[in-house]
Amino acid sequence: MDDAGNATSVASGNRTSSCYAWGWPDDGRLGFGGAEHDPKGKSPIHHEIHPHPNFMFTREEKDVVKGIAAGGRHSLFLMADGRVSATGWNAHGQLGIRETDSFYKPVDVEGLKKAGRVLFCKQVAAGHATSFALTGEGKIYSWGKNKWGGLGQDFEDDEDPEEDQSKARIVKELMNQPIVDISAGYQHCTCTSFGGRTFAWGRNNYGQLGLGKEAFDAGWIGKPTEIKWRPGSEKVIRLSSGYNHCVCLVEITRPNKVIEITAFAWGCPDDSRLGGCDQRRHFEPQEVHGLTTIVRKNHWVFKDVKCGGAHTLVLEKYNGLVVAWGQGRYGQLGYGNVWDRADPVMIVGLRSVTDLSAGARHSVALVDRVASNDSTDGEVYSWGYNDHGELGLGDCAVRLQPHKLNGLLNADVKVISAGHKHTLCVTDGIAKKVRDLPEYQEFFNLLHSEGMLVYDALKKAMEDKGLNSEFLDTPDAILPGQPGLVNHACEYEGSEPGMQYCIDTIKNPDQNEVIMKMKGPYETTYHCIRCRFQHVCMACARHCHGRHPVKVNFKLRHYADTCQCCEHDICNIRWSHVRHEFDKLALQNDDKCIGIDQIEDVLSGLHDDIEERRGGLPLTSKQKEDDLKAGVDAMHERNNRRKEEELEALGETGDEELQKIREKKKKKRMAQNEADDAASLDGSITTQMMEEEEEKEEEGRVIFKDFEKWYLEYFRQDEIDDT
């Protein structure tokens, strides 16, 4: 989907809240580009990807953010006092501002007033270029792009019914219907009334309005029209709009008086997004029988549904389990594979989910950590497409299964919303600025009142009190160490099954079994534009071409095609027996290296390979000792050579720099001498122990390329022939 419209849930009533955003910041959709005095001003880094949560803003008291909606290229924010703010692309007036420029910081939406007073809104929804707000009285206001009747408004005879509307206007056709829920798609919208009636309007080129064959032939409906259900047999639980399809959770009373909650779907039938419904009747609601089967088999009760670009997520009520179906080529279904699924599939490993959001090609879930035996509330997981960092995991690699957002581990997340290429969330609490610290306020006040004449004196006074004098220059800076404020890539917790090595090079039976299960009649590969490789496997696309422009190919599998990356030196995940044994130890370490003292373990694992290279004869103890000594000496030599190269790069100051480092270590050791005796008594680390540890570190680490080069040269094939 170009953008998934998302109607927001609303956060609980706490006094303060903070917003975080991540993904593609172009057009200002992330809301932290411009300066406060110039919200239209572009940030100098506004085109850079932000693949981890970034602090957007904090609101206090009446400005607390209660709801969010991530649209195509803009975002909406619902405040506690009922006001609505917007940021991002504004070419069609979807920010509710008369100007058509993009805004890089949230600005208040104009037109949400009645008799001069700001209307109290309780929900917002964002489509591709449309925006909607639901008031406390159950009235819908809309603004933005009105082509194909996407706003559902009435117009005078002298007005163009498809003209963009930058001012929010009420949807008059629904004024007598108290609306309780709204959901925006690409260029259509659906809503549910207090009495359980459902209405739809906008573009209908795929039957996404669910109004039948005649409305489908019309192409679009400009006024809200009721979606007809069988009278008395269904009760609407939740209705959600995707890119060009809709899914509705309904409570059905069967002829045998059994009550079940299942789903009905309609709209575009491509990519299995209708869950196996009859494609010939895609323009009218049809029961998703695969979900009904799950309900009957497991006695599950579903409570929520979210539609994305071409996929659907459904949330189970009591255990927080998630079921998905539809397009899977980008991993957005989260079940560990990339095939489309017409039959609903459970996302394994994800439970205690309280909220969901489905974006264009990615998905996000909010997990209750209390229910998951964790310490606090609100943990975020994401999966799917990630080319623009929309998963918030610190990189741009696709995830086939849910992964935890480390950047928000200490935050209490309440609301999430996934858009086209970005994601938003709201947390309880407040992200503090430097000026919020009481011990610094007097210095800021003096500088403000006295000016730069007292600047140097204030700096010295702060240093005398043990305060950070640099904070005097940045009173509005966000204090480090707070949830979401990471300035580095979030930790990558490991590859999905089969994604550790280049898929076409794996010969290990255990690993190959995983790969064979993944292989089917279709495959997802990548075309790397930069390297001019037409066929790159998913593993290499993530690890070797993660920063290259690529195109996704989803095609019929041809077994003669092999990954072109593994045939060139650029590939750094090519599988081999040597790498397999090396990684058994290296992947347990943060630096993905091994210590020199672990070379013996690696050689032990390669025992059979070494015997084969030595002509198949059993290895003697003397040979093993010689091999180990040769490996250790080679790695020491390589590390020493690398140190020499580093010093040579320093130029004439190399010796001085080295001497400074040694002097610093010496002083550090001397400072510990007085505490050695007491430390030894209570078992603490002594200076001698520190020296031993430092000497051990100085022995160096072994990287795979160095070890592989030595191994292949030392156990050469010609030696085998000679033996």
Side-chain angles (χ1 to χ4, degrees):
M1 130 182 201
D2 263 349
D3 47 81
N6 290 286
T8 65
S9 57
V10 179
S12 58
N14 291 300
R15 190 184 68 83
T16 59
S17 64
S18 299
C19 273
Y20 296 90
W22 55 92
W24 181 237
D26 209 23
D27 301 308
R29 71 193 77 184
L30 298 188
F32 50 75
E36 292 184 6
H37 64 277
D38 183 18
K40 294 186 292 183
K42 296 182 180 180
S43 165
I45 58 170
H46 73 284
H47 283 296
E48 293 184 3
I49 291 173
H50 294 266
H52 52 74
N54 287 264
F55 176 75
M56 187 188 301
F57 57 77
T58 293
R59 301 298 187 188
E60 299 181 61
E61 298 175 354
K62 69 175 183 178
D63 284 338
V64 171
V65 180
K66 292 295 184 181
I68 47 179
R73 296 161 65 182
H74 70 296
S75 304
L76 301 179
F77 307 91
L78 177 63
M79 305 302 175
D81 62 355
R83 291 182 297 109
V84 177
S85 297
T87 184
W89 187 47
N90 194 37
H92 300 281
Q94 58 266 44
L95 302 189
I97 306 294
R98 293 183 184 275
E99 303 177 47
T100 58
D101 296 332
S102 295
F103 280 72
Y104 290 78
K105 276 187 176 294
V107 291
D108 287 344
V109 174
E110 300 173 358
L112 291 175
K113 294 181 179 180
K114 184 178 181 181
R117 300 182 62 182
V118 177
L119 291 168
F120 180 85
C121 298
K122 63 180 183 180
Q123 188 182 8
V124 288
H128 166 65
T130 56
S131 302
F132 302 88
L134 178 62
T135 70
E137 298 177 346
K139 312 300 180 187
I140 296 178
Y141 282 74
S142 61
W143 61 96
K145 185 176 181 178
N146 195 42
K147 191 174 184 180
W148 303 300
L151 302 182
Q153 297 174 355
D154 287 333
F155 294 91
E156 303 297 334
D157 293 337
D158 59 343
E159 292 182 309
D160 184 355
E162 294 193 47
E163 184 179 358
D164 295 341
Q165 297 294 323
S166 60
K167 183 178 180 180
R169 296 171 58 170
I170 193 170
V171 179
K172 296 181 179 179
E173 196 73 21
L174 296 173
M175 290 184 63
N176 297 325
Q177 295 289 338
I179 304 301
V180 296
D181 190 32
I182 53 176
S183 182
Y186 175 75
Q187 196 62 28
H188 74 286
C189 187
T190 57
C191 66
T192 307
S193 72
F194 179 77
R197 300 171 67 184
T198 54
F199 299 86
W201 63 91
R203 196 173 190 184
N204 197 34
N205 57 325
Y206 288 101
Q208 57 264 49
L209 302 186
L211 300 176
K213 183 67 165 63
E214 185 176 345
F216 169 57
D217 293 337
W220 61 278
I221 303 295
K223 293 183 179 181
T225 306
E226 184 173 1
I227 304 173
K228 298 294 183 181
W229 302 84
R230 296 193 298 274
S233 63
E234 290 101 3
K235 175 185 175 183
V236 175
I237 303 298
R238 185 61 61 96
L239 175 59
S240 179
S241 299
Y243 185 64
N244 281 321
H245 77 292
C246 295
V247 177
C248 185
L249 274 185
V250 295
E251 181 183 287
I252 301 178
T253 303
R254 303 293 184 182
N256 60 359
K257 305 302 181 183
V258 174
I259 298 177
E260 297 175 337
I261 294 180
T262 188
F264 280 67
W266 60 91
C268 179
D270 298 341
D271 306 304
S272 303
R273 69 188 77 181
L274 299 187
C277 294
D278 186 354
Q279 296 190 16
R280 295 169 297 181
R281 298 189 294 117
H282 65 91
F283 41 74
E284 63 185 26
Q286 298 181 70
E287 184 175 348
V288 181
H289 292 289
L291 191 68
T292 304
T293 300
I294 292 177
V295 169
R296 294 174 179 174
K297 181 179 179 180
N298 300 303
H299 305 288
W300 284 0
V301 177
F302 292 103
K303 70 172 185 177
D304 198 7
V305 59
K306 296 294 173 63
C307 293
H311 69 292
T312 300
L313 307 175
V314 183
L315 178 60
E316 189 267 338
K317 183 175 183 179
Y318 296 109
N319 296 306
L321 305 175
V322 181
V323 173
W325 70 82
Q327 186 187 78
R329 71 180 65 177
Y330 303 106
Q332 62 264 55
L333 298 186
Y335 73 104
N337 217 318
V338 294
W339 319 127
D340 298 346
R341 292 295 295 257
D343 54 320
V345 59
M346 178 180 170
I347 302 178
V348 179
L350 196 61
R351 59 185 302 111
S352 303
V353 175
T354 59
D355 193 15
L356 290 167
S357 188
R361 290 169 290 187
H362 72 291
S363 305
V364 187
L366 181 60
V367 174
D368 184 349
R369 285 188 280 197
V370 174
S372 300
N373 298 319
D374 208 330
S375 57
T376 56
D377 194 10
E379 191 169 72
V380 180
Y381 285 75
S382 60
W383 61 96
Y385 194 66
N386 193 31
D387 197 44
H388 298 87
E390 51 263 60
L391 298 188
L393 298 172
D395 57 28
C396 295
V398 174
R399 300 299 197 279
L400 302 183
Q401 294 173 318
H403 280 250
K404 186 191 303 181
L405 263 74
N406 291 328
L408 292 170
L409 284 182
N410 299 319
D412 187 5
V413 182
K414 291 299 182 183
V415 183
I416 53 176
S417 184
H420 178 26
K421 298 177 181 177
H422 68 299
T423 309
L424 311 173
C425 80
V426 175
T427 66
D428 276 351
I430 181 171
K432 292 183 179 180
K433 296 182 178 181
V434 172
R435 66 168 62 253
D436 295 327
L437 298 176
E439 59 268 32
Y440 287 88
Q441 288 179 359
E442 61 174 314
F443 296 99
F444 295 139
N445 293 336
L446 284 172
L447 182 63
H448 180 72
S449 59
E450 302 296 333
M452 294 302 294
L453 293 175
V454 297
Y455 177 80
D456 293 334
L458 290 176
K459 282 246 180 181
K460 187 176 185 306
M462 292 175 71
E463 292 173 355
D464 292 341
K465 287 190 174 184
L467 302 179
N468 188 343
S469 61
E470 295 181 359
F471 283 173
L472 190 64
D473 302 316
T474 57
D476 291 316
I478 305 301
L479 287 173
Q482 299 181 78
L485 301 181
V486 292
N487 56 6
H488 56 82
C490 299
E491 181 183 357
Y492 181 33
E493 297 182 350
S495 300
E496 292 84 0
M499 294 294 111
Q500 183 178 336
Y501 303 113
C502 175
I503 293 174
D504 291 328
T505 63
I506 293 176
K507 295 181 177 61
N508 178 39
D510 295 335
Q511 197 83 15
N512 197 49
E513 183 180 353
V514 176
I515 297 301
M516 291 309 297
K517 288 181 179 179
M518 294 177 60
K519 289 189 175 182
Y522 294 90
E523 65 175 342
T524 297
T525 61
Y526 294 81
H527 168 207
C528 181
I529 300 173
R530 177 175 173 180
C531 299
R532 298 183 181 180
F533 294 162
Q534 295 292 330
H535 188 97
V536 177
C537 73
M538 288 192 296
C540 287
R542 300 176 194 192
H543 295 280
C544 308
H545 306 265
R547 295 294 181 181
H548 298 180
V550 296
K551 291 183 178 179
V552 179
N553 301 317
F554 188 70
K555 61 184 182 63
L556 190 66
R557 180 180 297 279
H558 193 284
Y559 287 90
D561 292 338
T562 57
C563 177
Q564 292 176 273
C565 177
C566 69
E567 300 170 0
H568 296 76
D569 292 337
I570 188 176
C571 185
N572 54 28
I573 58 169
R574 188 185 295 108
W575 188 92
S576 66
H577 288 290
V578 180
R579 183 172 198 125
H580 179 67
E581 293 298 329
F582 186 92
D583 283 352
K584 281 183 180 180
L585 299 174
L587 294 180
Q588 299 176 17
N589 304 320
D590 294 336
D591 59 1
K592 304 299 184 291
C593 299
I594 64 171
I596 288 182
D597 58 338
Q598 293 179 301
I599 292 178
E600 183 177 3
D601 296 328
V602 178
L603 292 177
S604 178
L606 292 168
H607 180 275
D608 293 341
D609 184 67
I610 294 174
E611 282 190 344
E612 183 180 344
R613 289 173 176 270
R614 286 253 169 87
L617 298 175
L619 296 178
T620 65
S621 299
K622 181 67 167 58
Q623 284 178 315
K624 292 180 181 179
E625 291 176 3
D626 292 343
D627 294 343
L628 176 60
K629 185 178 184 304
V632 171
D633 291 344
M635 293 303 103
H636 275 306
E637 181 182 353
R638 176 55 188 156
N639 287 338
N640 292 333
R641 192 183 312 124
R642 184 179 289 111
K643 289 180 182 179
E644 292 175 0
E645 292 173 354
E646 291 175 356
L647 290 176
E648 185 178 345
L650 290 173
E652 297 179 357
T653 61
D655 293 336
E656 296 179 5
E657 293 292 333
L658 182 61
Q659 188 63 29
K660 287 180 181 179
I661 294 173
R662 289 173 177 169
E663 287 293 334
K664 188 176 180 180
K665 289 183 178 180
K666 184 177 179 181
K667 290 179 180 179
K668 185 178 179 181
R669 292 167 186 164
M670 292 176 62
Q672 292 290 330
N673 284 340
E674 297 179 0
D676 274 352
D677 293 337
S680 298
L681 290 175
D682 62 10
S684 300
I685 298 176
T686 65
T687 304
Q688 183 180 357
M689 295 170 64
M690 291 174 59
E691 291 177 356
E692 292 176 354
E693 185 66 26
E694 289 174 357
E695 288 174 1
K696 184 178 179 181
E697 291 178 1
E698 288 177 357
E699 288 180 357
R701 306 286 288 168
V702 180
I703 63 176
F704 173 70
K705 288 186 176 180
D706 287 347
F707 181 82
E708 183 187 41
K709 182 178 180 181
W710 165 79
Y711 183 88
L712 296 178
E713 289 179 355
Y714 185 75
F715 299 102
R716 291 193 304 271
Q717 187 67 37
D718 56 355
E719 288 187 356
I720 299 175
D721 299 335
D722 295 340
T723 303

